[in-house]
Amino acid sequence: MYIAFKLKRALAVLAIVGIAAAAVIIGAQYEDSFTTAADSQEGVRLPVIMYHGLLKDPKLQGKYVISPDLFEQDLQYLQANGYTAVGIEDLLKYVDGKDTLPEKPVLLTFDDGYYNNYHYAYPLAKQYKMKIVISPVGAYMDKAEEENDPHPTYSYITWKDMQEMAKSGFVEFQNHTYNLHASKGGRMGTKKVKGESQEDYEALLREDLGTMQKRMEEYLGQEPPCFTYPFGAVSEGEPAIIREMGFRCTLTCESRINVITKDPESLYDLGRYLRPPDLSSESFFQGILKE
């Protein structure tokens, strides 16, 4: 009964993510952009891939959950085709003129901080020496610490898990809010609700995102430079607040290729391609998918 309850809770969470995210990325298209080499004069073309959960049970797989085997095949395909997985810090070093980027970079991102990221994605990242970027929700991590019930199907990572992964050098963590990853009360993620004053809205954002920044600094020793919009939902005026808070990069849910230049502006509103569960790695990376 306990596991059944947990499974229902996990499926409910995934359903909420699916409904809200679908509202944002309906009509998104995957472009055949992965075979183009970087152009050092015009910028570096950067595909960003968006994953969420990895689970072995086919019954639990869907739009936002793929099998660990498929993720491993993605890593194998990327390596075989000369791609190098980079992190946000690599992008910042390039923009700041402190380092170069590989000819064919790719950014592999995971949203929400599911425990299966630690259980499945983390070992594969180490095995294939491919960096991944995880954007967890702080409140979920606190709850996972309290429950102390790690399970790939229904749990989230803990701060301790995060520290271990960060020390490996293959996992980066970015801000996905402390506790604004929901679609309730008229608010979707960090979007402003009807009738809310701009002053109250800005205070809410600064309090929540600032709390997550402090917690990340406490456990990782630094504040993350990138903010991942929950559900990809953005309110008018929100990007300016995000920038004022010191974030140098933002991740959206728009399916499009990015061109990273020496201009710091090129790191804002990065598009990401949602990884579906029913395409081979070759079809996904080379083909064009119309939802």
Side-chain angles (χ1 to χ4, degrees):
M1 289 294 292
Y2 179 68
I3 292 179
F5 171 77
K6 290 287 190 173
L7 287 173
K8 289 181 180 179
R9 187 181 73 176
L11 290 173
V13 171
L14 291 173
I16 291 174
V17 172
I19 292 173
V24 178
I25 61 176
I26 287 176
Q29 294 183 339
Y30 293 88
E31 302 173 1
D32 186 13
S33 305
F34 296 89
T35 57
T36 303
D39 186 328
S40 60
Q41 294 183 345
E42 298 182 0
V44 180
R45 295 177 66 82
L46 177 74
V48 184
I49 314 304
M50 176 170 54
Y51 300 92
H52 289 80
L54 303 178
L55 292 175
K56 289 186 175 182
D57 188 348
K59 295 180 181 179
L60 298 178
Q61 295 168 14
K63 191 172 183 180
Y64 300 97
V65 180
I66 69 172
S67 72
D69 288 342
L70 186 55
F71 176 61
E72 181 173 14
Q73 291 166 23
D74 284 355
L75 297 182
Q76 292 172 339
Y77 178 88
L78 290 168
Q79 279 197 340
N81 286 273
Y83 281 87
T84 301
V86 299
I88 300 298
E89 290 295 336
D90 296 313
L91 302 181
L92 289 172
K93 288 179 181 178
Y94 173 76
V95 168
D96 292 340
K98 297 179 180 179
D99 204 350
T100 59
L101 284 174
E103 182 181 3
K104 298 169 72 175
V106 62
L107 190 66
L108 307 177
T109 69
F110 285 80
D111 284 8
D112 306 337
Y114 295 105
Y115 180 75
N116 53 58
N117 296 174
Y118 172 83
H119 191 73
Y120 295 121
Y122 172 47
L124 289 171
K126 291 191 296 182
Q127 179 182 342
Y128 289 93
K129 301 187 186 306
M130 299 281 276
K131 293 180 181 179
I132 61 175
V133 176
I134 299 177
S135 298
V137 180
Y140 297 171
M141 299 170 74
D142 282 343
K143 189 172 184 179
E145 290 275 3
E146 295 174 3
E147 293 182 343
N148 191 27
D149 181 29
H151 194 286
T153 303
Y154 51 74
S155 301
Y156 291 88
I157 58 174
T158 64
W159 298 103
K160 183 178 180 181
D161 297 331
M162 182 181 70
Q163 288 176 321
E164 177 189 338
M165 288 188 279
K167 289 179 181 178
S168 73
F170 291 104
V171 186
E172 277 186 358
F173 292 92
Q174 305 302 332
N175 192 319
H176 202 31
T177 77
Y178 177 75
N179 197 22
L180 285 177
H181 193 286
S183 178
K184 60 182 180 180
R187 189 189 305 280
M188 179 184 289
T190 57
K191 288 200 72 173
K192 184 179 180 181
V193 298
K194 186 177 181 180
E196 184 175 28
S197 71
Q198 185 63 26
E199 182 180 2
D200 288 344
Y201 176 59
E202 182 171 344
L204 173 76
L205 282 184
R206 291 185 180 278
E207 172 63 26
D208 184 275
L209 275 58
T211 296
M212 187 59 168
Q213 290 294 85
K214 292 177 182 178
R215 298 300 297 277
M216 297 283 265
E217 182 178 24
E218 177 184 354
Y219 286 98
L220 291 182
Q222 62 180 13
E223 295 185 351
C226 187
F227 177 66
T228 303
Y229 289 103
F231 315 123
V234 187
S235 281
E236 183 178 354
E238 182 177 357
I241 300 172
I242 300 298
R243 294 179 185 220
E244 288 173 7
M245 291 187 67
F247 291 101
R248 300 187 60 195
C249 169
T250 55
L251 299 176
T252 73
C253 292
E254 297 180 14
S255 297
R256 53 180 169 74
I257 204 72
N258 306 284
V259 178
I260 309 302
T261 68
K262 296 295 185 178
D263 184 353
E265 291 295 312
S266 66
L267 295 184
Y268 289 108
D269 301 322
L270 296 180
R272 297 188 292 167
Y273 294 87
L274 176 65
R275 181 45 163 120
D278 53 356
L279 288 177
S280 69
S281 297
E282 182 175 3
S283 295
F284 172 62
F285 287 112
Q286 290 189 347
I288 298 175
L289 176 64
K290 295 183 179 180
E291 296 188 346

